[in-house]
Each structure stands twice: as C-alpha cells, then as structure tokens.
Amino acid sequence: MQHFLPHAKLSNKFPLSRLISSSRGLCLVSAHPSRSILEFSRSSRQWPLSQRALSSPSKYPDDLFNYNSGRWLANDKLRLAERRREFEVEELCQLAAQSVGRKSQDINRFEKLAEGGFNRTFLITMHDGFEMVARIPYPITVPKFYAVASEVATMDFLRFSGLPIPEIYGYSPSADNAAKTEYIFMEFVKGTRLTDVWMAGEIPDVLSSLRQIVELESRIMSVRFPAGGSLYYTKDLEEMGGNNGVTLEDERFSVGPDARIQMWSGRRSQLDVDRGPYRSPEVALVAAAVKERVYLEHFAQPVLPFRRERRQSYDFEKQSPADHIENLDRYLRIAPLLMPQNPVLHHFRMRHPDLHPSNVIVSRSEKSNELIITGLLDWQHASILPLFLSAEMPERFQNYDDSISQALIPPLLPENIQELDKPELTHALTLYIKRLPHFHYIKNMEKHNKLHYEAFSDPLSMFIGRLCHQAGVPWQGETHDLKAALTEATERWEELTGGDVPCPIAFEPEDLHKTKELGERLRLADEDFEAYQDMIGIGAQTWSLNEDYSKGKKMAELLKLQTMMQLPKEMQDSFEANWFCDDMDETPYT
C-alpha cells in the first residue's frame, strides 16, 4: 500500500562562543556520544543513478543498507543486524520521482543523509537541483504500519494547521510495494540543525530559539482532540481492516491506536490489549499498565536485571515478574483516585515525541538576521494523551539535578569570568550551559504556553504522569522504580488527594526500609555507570563513534580488570560475568 499526496545576557564584546572555544569545546548541546545515538549529516558516498541500469540490491554498496554511523561495544553484531535494511533502490527512486510528478531519469544523485535510532534517511537530488528526502524505518522499528501511518498523518495535520512541518509527498506504511520497504517521501528542509547553532554558544540565538520552541508547542497543544492514542488518516485505519478510530471534524483524520514504542516493543505486539483510541482520560491512565500486566502473565520469566550495571545491587539474583505484577496491581488501584480535579487537564492534547535540538531546523531572516525555526522534524511515535499525562520539560532541556535550576534562579556566569583559569572556566561554563535551557524553557512556558504551564506547575499532574510512566515502561527485570513511586504516593497521599479518600494501598515499615536501601544502592550504581561511560566514551547501549570503537573496547577491558582487582575474590567471577560492555543474550527480555 502506497500513497502519493497532492502538492499542496552577555556583553557583545565578549560572547560566550569565545569562552567556549577557550574551554575545550564546551557547547550548549553535548556532542559526546554518551548522551545519544548521533545522526550524521550528509554522507560523502553518493550514487549517481543516471549512470546505473536497473539492478537488484546486491549491485549496490552495503553502505546503503547497513548502519555505519557507529558501533556498540556490547552486542555489536546484533545492533547492526537490527539496523540492516535491504530494499530495491531503483524502484524506491522511481516511486520517489513519481510522488513529485517526475521520472526516475530526472534523478541525479541518491545519497545517505542521516541515521538515527529508528530510521535511515536518504537525500534524492534531481538534475535541476530539486531535493527531497526518503526515509526508511529499520527492521526493529515498531509498530511498523502504525509508526509510518501515524507520523505521516500527524505531519500533514500540523502542516495544514500552519506549523513549520516538512511537506509529505508520498508514503507506504507497508513493505508490500515495488521498493520492498516501508517509506516516507518528504520535503528537504534547508537550514541548520539547532544543535549546531547552540554549539556556537551565541546567547541571543539560544534564547530566541527557546522562545520559538515554546510558542510552537503552544500552537500544537491548543488543539483539543476527541480521544487519545495517535493520529491517522481515516482511510489508513479502514485499510487495516475496519475503522475503529474516532473521527475528527476534518473527516480525513481519525484518532487510532497509540503508536508509542512501549505499547508494542518485543512480544507485546502479539497481545490483544486496548491500545486506543482512548475515549476517556481514565482509560488512558491505565492502558499501558494493563498492557504490561498482560505481557508479564503471558511471557515473563524470572530474569536478572537487563541493566547489568545494576545487578550487583540485587546480589546477582534473578528477579520475579510476580513482584512487578503486584506493583502494577497497586498502581491500578490508586491511579483512578489521583486524577486532577481541573477538567482542563483531562483534555487530550498532542506533543512532539522527541523535542531534541537536532530535530529543529533553523534559518536566519535576511531582514533582521534573527534565527527562525523553519522545520520541526521526527514525529514518529507521536501520541495524544490527557494533558496531565504529557506535561513535562523536554529531556534535553532538563537540569533537575542542580539546586539552582530547581529553584528557577536565573543562570549567571561569575563576574570574574575572564580571570578564571581553564579548570575553573570549564566548571563555570558547564554549570551555566546546563542551567540556561532549563530556566528559559520554563519561563517561556509560563508566558507563552499557559495551558502547558498549568499542568506543569500542578504537583498532582506531574506526579501521576511520572507514576503512569513507570507503570507502563517495559519490564526488564526490575520493579524498584515503580515501587518507589508507589511508596511516595502513600507518603504524600493527603497532599496529593486532599485526604478525602483513604489510600487503598499500604507498605509495611520493613518493606519501605528495604525499598529505600535498594534505591540508594541503585543510585550509587547509576553514578558509577555514568562515570564508566564518560571514561570509556560511550553512550546508550554502549554506542561509540566508529573512530573511537577500538580505543573504547580497550578502555572497557582495562576498567573491567582494574575494578575486578579491587573486589573480594568471591565477587570477581560474578562481576566479570555481568560486565556491561560484553555481549549478552537479550532474548528473555523481548
């Protein structure tokens, strides 16, 4: 099934960029791989199609089908296999050309543009200079059909509403087409990623872009939806075997199944559970927890925690899914009693699923030289939820570990900034750079997105949102984070609910004590793990830049040996068997 759409405050004399350049390249958005799987901009490998005959995938270099933006120290072969996607190159190009009223002979170049966590993106350039994007999901991307179909409909809906969203030219949420892959063809938005602009460290640009982000969020969140889930074209839901969606006033669109990854990951995609549309906030509040409970009953077995750096905190013992089921049942008993009283917070709203600066494209105004947001990218897995469940600061702007940020004290650099030596300057800039987005995002929200701020500043909304998240995340051998949130609910019950209804769950004092002790051990383990990441130079899932891979492997092995030497002999075998940079069997966690 394929579809083609109709065309339709620092002195200017001493800017922060100079401070940054003098302090080992500190920047407002970390380029260090320990924070995310990075995308790379335009590849140097190009394939001029006009010089090729129609051919099978085997005639093309593996670079087209393989992930080559980095490596993983652990389970590298598995991670690369998850991201290998073969497809019919010439047929994809023919479909792309057709989507914009062209012929395949009009295409001059086909080149890899970027690789992210779930998709590979290609740039298609015509002989007359016209450029467009083709994006293909990896085999691991779920839910395949819904992920593609909902993203396309979401982008078209928001673009029709006047937001700076790339135009969709064509798409196929199924691999049943000539290219033998799902795909989206869209407009290539020219400009610069906000990540790169923030790296330059010019404060006016940072502040202006944060204001614009909040203003755009306000426009997105101003739309009230009749139900929760994700947005689709009505015809796509009908083609899936019957329209069970809730149709919007614009009947081209309907709210259908929730496309968030947590609802579909691993064998969860096999479950017959309610994934939406959610016709009430009460249903949305419990759907993810119910899904997870059904998964545990059907598939789960006792396992060691997936996060190997935490296993020592559990004495290297397997954890029973029964404990998590018990905590999910506790959640399901108290969740309906934690609904905010303000009915406005019950309304279904949409938010960007990953508001990272790399998903924001900017250009400079020719008249004012002001930075203008011209594109909001990556709407995959976007969901529609009650406002009290979606209110939060984007993860990349958060700095909650810092007391100054928590107190919303305006970030300032030391008055003697120009007199500091390099270590002092590095420390001062690090603090400032982390505090700046946190403070200004919240202040702009308070001024320009009052609806979001109303939920964000409501303690009950923020707590129930966090609790709901913990109840819905896929179980990977740990229940502590959910249990800790539940114990907090019992301790704050009167504050959260007014105390009119007694709390339906309780924990024994000894149980509370053990939970808090485990929480402290896990906190220390997480701190140690972050230190290991920084020393080795790795990110999520032990990801590393290609050029740092060999060095990282050696450093990881050295750190493992050094740590083992400091442990009692009886602990060394268990530590070595659970080292987080070695390969492991992930099957029990799917």
Side-chain angles (χ1 to χ4, degrees), residues 58-79:
S58 62
K59 300 296 183 181
Y60 283 85
D62 272 352
D63 278 0
L64 275 179
F65 313 121
N66 286 342
Y67 182 91
N68 53 22
S69 299
R71 301 280 300 276
W72 288 264
L73 271 61
N75 286 3
D76 185 53
K77 291 182 179 179
L78 175 61
R79 299 282 90 84

Side-chain angles (χ1 to χ4, degrees), residues 118 142-143 258-266 268 291 381 474:
F118 299 102
V142 293
D258 189 341
R260 287 179 296 168
I261 300 172
Q262 65 173 6
M263 302 299 291
W264 303 87
S265 64
R268 291 164 185 81
K291 169 269 307 175
H381 304 123

Side-chain angles (χ1 to χ4, degrees), residues 264-325:
W264 303 87
S265 64
R267 286 173 286 182
R268 291 164 185 81
S269 61
Q270 303 173 27
L271 301 175
D272 182 16
V273 295
D274 184 3
R275 298 187 181 88
Y278 311 127
R279 288 171 168 80
S280 73
E282 291 84 358
V283 174
L285 183 60
V286 300
V290 170
K291 169 269 307 175
E292 201 58 22
R293 195 186 191 289
V294 175
Y295 164 81
L296 294 173
E297 290 178 334
H298 279 73
F299 299 116
Q301 300 292 328
V303 293
L304 288 165
F306 182 83
R307 295 175 59 181
R308 286 176 285 179
E309 68 274 9
R310 286 183 154 203
R311 289 179 179 179
Q312 186 176 348
S313 301
Y314 294 92
D315 297 324
F316 300 109
E317 293 180 356
K318 290 185 177 182
Q319 302 299 298
S320 171
D323 295 334
H324 200 58
I325 290 175

